[in-house]
Amino acid sequence: MLDANLKQQLQQYLAMLREPIELVASLGDDPKSAETRELLNVISGLSDKVTASFDGTASRKPSFVIRRASDHGAAVTFAGLPLGHEFTSLVLALLWAGGHPPKVEQDVIDQIRELDGDFDFEMYFSLSCHNCPDVVQALALMALNNPRISATLIEGGAFKDEVEERKVMAVPAVFLGGEPFANGRMEIAEILAKLDSNAGAKAAEKIAGKEPFEVLVIGGGPAGASAAIYTARKGFRTGIAAERFGGQVLDTMGIENFVSVPYTEGPKLAAQLEQHVGEYDIDVMNLQQAAKLVPATQPGGLHEVVLENGASLKARSVVLSTGARWRNLGVPGEFEYRTRGVAYCPHCDGPLFKGKRVAVIGGGNSGVEAAIDLANIVGHVTLVEFDNQLRADQVLQDKLRSMDNVDIFVSAQTTEVTGDGEQVTGLTYKDRETGEEHQIELEGVFVQIGLVPNTEWLKDSSLELSPRGEIVIDERAATSIPGIFAAGDATTVPYKQIIIAMGEGAKAALSAFDYIIRTQPADEVATAAA
């Protein structure tokens, strides 16, 4: 199950345990239970601080509890085998149960321990989901630091009947007290914010006391991280306010066009961006959504960005890098059946549709790549493209057309996602050449129709936006307002690519540097005039 190299690495990690832990398994007679027994025996054999027993009485089999030997109240449960993307989550749970400190701020741990109430979480993940580990690890950390929090982390492939019964059609899927709590990638701060009614006020109070920055970056994706690193290296007091550090990169699976890196994955790249930013004195304010831009009233003055929680930040120069998000179809049924058959991530949710019929909407690279991936998992794929031809690279089109469980419809306008009130049962499209409507029976719809910039919050400002809502910039990444620059997918720069966003972020930072050194602060101008 674990090769020699992986066992050696695991043994090195287990050497970090500070106190004994117990693994208590509930097993059946099935192959998965046998594999679970083998895995736990391997783990317990690598450290004298780990013991494994197989007398658990949990109803889910196979499952196992990780708990401190000295405190059975602090525990987390895995149902199924946490391998694949979740092996790291398993290792971290072992370390945290054994007293090894997590790499989170102490105030986060304090907030977990101070939560008032009993919280019973169940969370479903798939082994191919790159969005799931953050949620798995967040719930494990919470359960191991507050005995009033329980977390059962369930590998959906091992409990297919349960997944079908609870109509889990998108992961990560979190239930609290048996009721749906959240779907999609979440960081621990986001979960705590949903549980702690005072979290927003606490964050606002903390932000309100910050001194003005020389450069404030709004957005924490590749463009924002690059901009912040460049300005920090210039010695400027720099802050990042990001709704989600890593941005859309977190939702990207394989990355094969990042020059000098033949292959990486989005979450890994996002973690590297965060690590690189952490090498500098940059004030990162995560989970902060910008709500309003108030430009300076005179050259050299302070620009202000008001956040959704009511707090505001000020800076001499601002770099806007809020990125973009997946575009919605905007048809009846899409919102109603989101997470109940309508999905946006084929890598995460594809395994939940094994053997079923699905549609992919979109004939660009993303759509065709999604259709190819899904065709290897599901029973049948129908690709629906609005244009009269596919727009993906020819090599991708050739691959897709070579697969015998794929149908392709072009000049097809999706008009409705249909369902039975509980889950998707089909979609309706109109033939744009004949006007005739067609109904396709299926169980899933994957939307892959491009991006929309995250700039709605700027529409009431004096900042110039394009008809598509992109921030208009010049060759120096300057916007229509002096001292405010922009970079990445939220701007009019062509070709929305990670490597381009990074370069644009660096350009915006250098332009901000040039602006600051050439512009005397307004308060200094006033003092000189007096």
Side-chain angles (χ1 to χ4, degrees):
M1 179 174 295
L2 302 181
D3 60 32
N5 183 50
L6 204 53
K7 286 182 182 178
Q8 183 179 11
Q9 292 181 35
L10 181 56
Q11 187 171 29
Q12 291 172 349
Y13 284 122
L14 294 176
M16 301 177 188
L17 296 175
R18 299 183 178 183
E19 56 184 277
I21 62 175
E22 298 174 345
L23 310 178
V24 182
S26 302
L27 305 178
D29 298 325
D30 57 288
K32 288 288 184 182
S33 290
E35 292 177 13
T36 302
R37 182 185 294 272
E38 179 186 351
L39 175 64
L40 300 190
N41 279 329
V42 168
I43 294 172
S44 61
L46 294 175
S47 172
D48 57 7
K49 283 189 167 64
V50 182
T51 58
S53 60
F54 304 93
D55 54 358
T57 58
S59 58
R60 288 189 182 94
K61 298 177 181 179
S63 66
F64 61 95
V65 176
I66 302 174
R67 67 190 186 192
R68 294 188 178 94
S70 60
D71 179 11
H72 291 178
V76 62
T77 301
F78 283 94
L81 283 168
L83 299 176
H85 281 294
E86 296 302 340
F87 185 70
T88 298
S89 302
L90 170 61
V91 172
L92 289 173
L94 294 168
L95 292 177
W96 295 335
H100 187 74
K103 292 182 179 180
V104 299
E105 295 180 4
Q106 185 58 43
D107 59 355
V108 173
I109 299 298
D110 293 340
Q111 189 177 3
I112 292 171
R113 292 171 178 169
E114 292 168 4
L115 280 174
D116 185 19
D118 296 308
F119 304 97
D120 179 18
F121 285 103
E122 297 168 295
M123 180 258 181
Y124 293 87
F125 62 88
S126 73
L127 298 182
S128 63
C129 172
H130 58 282
N131 286 324
C132 292
D134 278 358
V135 186
V136 169
Q137 291 163 26
L139 294 175
L141 183 63
M142 291 170 64
L144 289 167
N145 279 277
N146 186 332
R148 299 182 68 180
I149 299 174
S150 67
T152 302
L153 311 170
I154 307 159
E155 195 276 291
F159 296 90
K160 293 180 181 178
D161 291 343
E162 189 173 325
V163 166
E164 292 281 349
E165 181 182 348
R166 300 184 85 163
K167 295 181 171 58
V168 176
M169 304 188 77
V171 289
V174 182
F175 291 77
L176 177 59
E179 298 296 324
F181 174 75
N183 273 92
R185 188 189 189 99
M186 296 181 73
E187 297 183 7
I188 191 166
E190 294 175 88
I191 298 174
L192 290 172
K194 288 174 69 74
L195 300 176
D196 185 353
S197 59
N198 293 321
K202 291 175 185 176
E205 182 180 0
K206 187 176 180 180
I207 289 172
K210 294 183 183 292
E211 294 294 322
F213 294 95
E214 288 175 287
V215 178
L216 175 64
V217 179
I218 306 299
S226 175
I229 289 169
Y230 264 73
T231 59
R233 286 177 60 84
K234 294 293 187 182
F236 284 166
R237 172 170 153 74
T238 301
I240 296 179
E243 185 175 356
R244 185 176 63 149
F245 193 93
Q248 196 188 10
V249 166
L250 291 166
D251 303 323
T252 304
M253 190 56 178
I255 300 171
E256 299 177 300
N257 56 359
F258 190 60
V259 180
S260 82
V261 181
Y263 179 84
T264 188
E265 295 179 352
K268 181 179 179 181
L269 178 58
Q272 291 171 326
L273 288 174
E274 189 169 13
Q275 181 183 10
H276 197 173
V277 166
E279 295 292 322
Y280 298 92
D281 187 18
I282 298 171
D283 189 345
V284 179
M285 296 157 281
N286 203 11
L287 305 181
Q288 300 302 322
Q289 185 173 355
K292 184 179 181 181
L293 173 66
V294 183
T297 57
Q298 54 185 309
L302 294 175
H303 304 286
E304 181 180 7
V305 175
V306 181
L307 304 177
E308 283 287 350
N309 61 20
S312 66
L313 296 164
K314 295 182 178 181
R316 288 187 60 193
S317 184
V318 175
V319 176
L320 303 173
S321 57
T322 47
R325 63 187 183 277
W326 291 116
R327 186 182 298 276
N328 293 323
L329 279 170
V331 301
E334 178 185 19
F335 178 78
E336 291 83 349
Y337 291 105
R338 188 172 297 180
T339 75
R340 294 189 292 162
V342 174
Y344 300 83
C345 178
H347 301 290
C348 300
D349 302 330
L352 300 174
F353 293 84
K354 185 175 182 179
K356 297 181 179 180
R357 300 162 299 175
V358 304
V360 173
I361 313 299
N365 280 351
S366 295
V368 173
E369 286 175 352
I372 292 169
D373 289 344
L374 290 166
N376 291 309
I377 301 171
V378 304
H380 188 272
V381 177
T382 301
L383 188 141
V384 180
E385 165 56 32
F386 181 86
D387 203 351
N388 61 6
Q389 61 183 356
L390 300 185
R391 293 166 286 107
D393 295 342
Q394 191 61 48
V395 64
L396 295 174
Q397 294 190 42
D398 293 343
K399 173 64 176 176
L400 182 65
R401 295 182 193 280
S402 73
M403 308 180 90
D404 24 352
N405 63 337
V406 174
D407 286 331
I408 300 171
F409 296 129
V410 296
S411 296
Q413 179 182 357
T414 303
T415 57
E416 184 180 5
V417 176
T418 57
D420 60 8
E422 293 189 346
Q423 61 191 56
V424 167
T425 59
L427 69 78
T428 303
Y429 76 90
K430 181 176 72 173
D431 187 317
R432 295 176 56 237
E433 294 182 356
T434 66
E436 186 178 356
E437 284 204 338
H438 301 269
Q439 175 74 23
I440 306 174
E441 293 184 358
L442 42 75
E443 290 78 39
V445 176
F446 288 81
V447 181
Q448 302 280 293
I449 56 172
L451 304 171
V452 59
N454 296 316
T455 58
E456 289 85 355
W457 66 286
L458 295 168
K459 288 182 178 178
D460 293 331
S461 71
S462 56
L463 193 76
E464 183 183 0
L465 301 177
S466 75
R468 297 179 60 186
E470 298 168 319
I471 303 169
V472 176
I473 60 172
D474 65 13
E475 71 280 358
R476 296 171 61 86
T479 71
S480 59
I481 299 175
I484 297 181
F485 304 87
D489 288 1
T491 74
T492 51
V493 68
Y495 313 121
K496 314 303 187 186
Q497 298 289 312
I498 292 171
I499 196 165
I500 291 174
M502 286 185 174
E504 289 291 306
K507 183 198 295 183
L510 294 173
S511 294
F513 167 75
D514 184 71
Y515 168 82
I516 289 175
I517 63 174
R518 293 175 183 272
T519 308
Q520 192 174 2
D523 54 351
E524 293 180 13
V525 172
T527 301

